[in-house]
Amino acid sequence: MDESATGAAAADAAAAAGAAADAEQPSVRLGVLLADPDLGLTQVAGPAAGDRLAGTVGTTELEDPTPYLVGGELLLTSGVRLPGDADGIDTYVRRVVAAGVAALGFGVAPVHDEVPPELVRACDRHGLPLLRLPPATPFVAVGQAAYAAIGEARNRELREISRAQSALASAAARPDALRAVLGQLAAHTGAWSVLYDAQGTELLSAGRRPASPHLLRDLAVRTLRQAGGPTAAATHDPDRGGHLTVHALPVGGDRTTAVTLALGQAASVPPTAVHRQVTGTATVLLALLTGPRHALSTDTHSVGALVRLMLGATPAEVAPELVPGGTADGAAGGTVHGHWTVVRGRYPDGTPPAAVPARLAALASLLGTPYVHIDGPDLKALVPCAADARPQVPARAAELGWVLGYSAPVAAGDLPHADTQAERALHRALAAGTPAVVHTTDPLTLHTLVDPADARELARTRFARLDRAGQPGAPVLLDTLRTWLTLHGSWDRTAALLGVHRNTVRHRLARVSDLLDIDLQDPGVRMELWFALQWLPDEAPHQHP
């Protein structure tokens, strides 16, 4: 290997040592010391040292100090025992470079009147920054300045860690806790933060998505699938994924239902000590948030509300205790206004895969509420909101396979009606093949032109004959008619949505046509029936003065 190759390799080794020092402990950039006017340091050889890191300052007058070096030092010497010939000096420099020294500081006087030119050439050759200390600068002063800068850096790290931990704790208390914690983690580390389940499904993510997210997913899945394997893994691919790190979150010791926190950091240096500390805090919080107890919302307020409800309280009475961080009238913080949106969901492909607490927690975080119930392929949720809120449909819920129907915001006393709205909206979403449908209430409709009491009486009279239908009964016939009208008279789509044969749909609607003595092929009749269905007593909204 020639001298230039040796110098490049030495420079790389020194840079790696500096990066390692930065990753393990606070360090000082040599540029800070060079900029200190009280020290009067100047660089006289080697590559630019401004960004190079030194973790400590050491003094030596040994001919071979390498047995006493750990790497990352700013090594100071006055050249008392510096070899007198060029070959000896070259050997000296080569040895300290191999030991990982960050830079060499040479104090002129009283031994040498100036930095030996042979030392300058050797440091240039081997890629070692060489700093000149003027006669008036004691070695101790350099050490004091360096340790003061290191102490300040450590204080900055502690303040940064404290701010990040406070932000993570606040995020964990939000209704969308998982998404909020991931967002804070991404903000404080600069990494794309993502949760994967054991199947590699992306549950939630925050931050800037890398160019090759599959590299992070593959690392996460491999880590989880290693029986008895590690709970964390990391790799570095600067050309594609940058620094990739995964942490398996414990879920009852069962790795088949575990969740992985993965971090993708597109940077040229490894994660810092601050990043690792913040990630550790976030990992603990996410493990708690995806655990069964938190995911199922067994907190004291919710339990107390459930006890009161079972002992005779009304939904309107217990609803304030279910609102995270406040009361129904906004007395605690003024951000909650006593209204709720009901969400109905369906997983069209059958039972959701790996329906474990982590998935439930992810879905609850997306919906912004802890009150989520999943029964096979069906979902029900209650989302606290303001009276005039417009539901925000999370796109990731559709990516996870769910189709959703949203009600309009209602007071707690109107939740049964809102549940009907959400169910109808879900049916429309399934029929249209869209991820979600939100029920809207427009005051400028034909319904506002008709007296509500008269409209309900008309609807009751219009469908009264169906009470004599026998099996399958009036409710089934009305549901079939409503679904058929929603799907614009499509027999096949109605049958698919109701889960029956198309001939069953035809038979039921023929029975409706006979009992009501109507022609369902008449558009005017269909329009009349549609409006009447909206005003059946169990469908009409409660009227408030």
Side-chain angles (χ1 to χ4, degrees):
M1 181 178 294
D2 60 27
E3 287 187 347
S4 60
T6 303
D12 291 342
D22 181 45
E24 296 302 326
Q25 63 182 7
S27 305
V28 61
R29 296 188 182 278
L30 294 180
V32 173
L33 302 180
L34 286 167
D36 189 337
D38 293 333
L39 298 179
L41 304 182
T42 55
Q43 182 174 356
V44 296
D51 290 332
R52 185 162 295 203
L53 299 165
T56 186
V57 176
T59 301
T60 181
E61 299 299 343
L62 297 176
E63 292 183 8
D64 182 11
T66 55
Y68 307 99
L69 301 177
V70 296
E73 298 95 345
L74 169 56
L75 188 62
L76 304 181
T77 181
S78 61
V80 173
R81 303 187 66 178
L82 187 71
D85 60 303
D87 290 341
I89 291 177
D90 186 85
T91 300
Y92 177 89
V93 172
R94 186 172 64 251
R95 284 174 176 173
V96 297
V97 167
V101 166
L104 183 65
F106 192 88
V108 297
V111 181
H112 296 269
D113 294 333
E114 193 49 71
V115 180
E118 295 84 2
L119 183 60
V120 171
R121 288 192 289 270
C123 287
D124 280 333
R125 187 161 48 248
H126 294 289
L128 178 65
L130 176 60
L131 310 184
R132 178 185 183 277
L133 280 67
T137 300
F139 286 5
V140 172
V142 178
Q144 289 175 338
Y147 295 131
I150 289 174
E152 177 56 31
R154 181 57 178 163
N155 288 335
R156 285 196 302 270
E157 287 185 350
L158 292 175
R159 290 194 294 269
E160 185 178 347
I161 290 171
S162 179
R163 287 194 296 268
Q165 289 177 335
S166 178
L168 288 169
S170 298
R174 289 177 41 170
D176 58 342
L178 280 179
R179 182 163 51 181
V181 169
L182 286 176
Q184 288 297 328
L185 179 60
H188 286 277
T189 62
W192 183 54
S193 306
V194 56
L195 284 179
Y196 291 110
D197 66 9
Q199 286 69 42
T201 302
E202 180 184 324
L203 302 180
L204 290 167
S205 65
R208 183 177 180 180
R209 185 179 294 267
S212 303
H214 66 278
L215 298 176
L216 199 55
R217 174 189 177 277
D218 293 345
L219 180 61
V221 172
R222 288 199 308 271
T223 302
L224 282 180
R225 291 181 178 176
Q226 293 182 38
T231 58
T235 186
H236 176 49
D237 186 346
D239 295 330
R240 296 192 295 171
H243 293 276
L244 310 180
T245 309
V246 299
H247 299 268
L249 307 182
V251 183
D254 182 3
R255 296 178 73 86
T256 62
T257 60
V259 182
T260 303
L261 167 65
L263 299 173
Q265 195 163 22
S268 58
V269 296
T272 66
V274 173
H275 293 162
R276 292 197 300 276
Q277 185 71 34
V278 172
T279 301
T281 301
T283 300
V284 173
L285 289 174
L286 292 170
L288 293 173
L289 292 170
T290 54
R293 182 172 180 83
H294 187 92
L296 299 178
S297 302
T298 53
D299 60 89
T300 55
H301 286 289
S302 299
V303 171
L306 176 61
V307 171
R308 292 181 58 199
L309 191 64
M310 295 183 69
L311 294 179
T314 65
E317 291 172 328
V318 303
E321 297 184 26
L322 299 177
V323 176
T327 60
D329 60 3
T335 58
V336 178
H337 303 277
H339 282 65
W340 299 81
T341 297
V342 178
V343 182
R344 285 289 194 106
R346 178 75 55 79
Y347 196 85
D349 296 331
T351 302
V356 295
R359 272 185 172 259
L360 181 57
L363 189 60
S365 188
L366 288 170
L367 296 175
T369 177
Y371 308 118
V372 178
H373 171 68
I374 296 179
D375 182 12
D378 297 313
L379 172 150
K380 296 180 181 179
L382 289 174
V383 182
C385 65
D388 58 350
R390 170 73 178 179
Q392 299 297 315
V393 180
R396 179 143 293 279
E399 294 177 21
L400 292 177
W402 290 96
V403 178
L404 303 175
Y406 283 76
S407 76
V410 299
D414 287 335
L415 284 174
H417 172 61
D419 187 38
T420 301
Q421 288 181 349
E423 184 179 12
R424 301 289 175 249
L426 174 61
H427 282 182
R428 293 198 296 273
L430 290 168
T434 59
V437 167
V438 178
H439 177 86
T440 57
T441 302
D442 187 350
L444 300 177
T445 66
L446 291 178
H447 294 295
T448 62
L449 305 179
V450 181
D451 180 75
D454 291 343
R456 286 195 291 271
E457 181 60 30
L458 174 64
R460 185 185 297 108
T461 303
R462 190 72 182 87
F463 295 110
R465 295 181 185 177
L466 296 184
D467 292 335
R468 305 193 301 270
Q471 293 297 325
V476 174
L477 294 179
L478 285 171
D479 191 43
T480 303
L481 175 62
R482 182 185 295 105
T483 304
W484 184 73
L485 291 173
T486 299
L487 299 176
H488 308 292
S490 171
W491 305 100
D492 292 332
R493 293 169 66 193
T494 301
L497 187 57
L498 295 177
V500 298
H501 195 276
R502 67 193 308 270
N503 289 339
T504 301
V505 175
R506 289 184 176 275
H507 175 75
R508 290 177 183 176
L509 293 180
R511 184 68 173 145
V512 170
S513 180
D514 291 341
L515 288 171
L516 301 184
D517 191 22
I518 55 174
D519 179 10
L520 287 175
Q521 301 306 314
D522 186 335
V525 171
R526 293 191 189 187
M527 180 182 68
E528 177 195 350
L529 293 176
W530 177 255
F531 280 107
L533 283 169
Q534 310 309 305
W535 282 107
L536 280 177
D538 61 342
E539 302 292 329
H542 295 186
Q543 300 299 313
H544 301 287

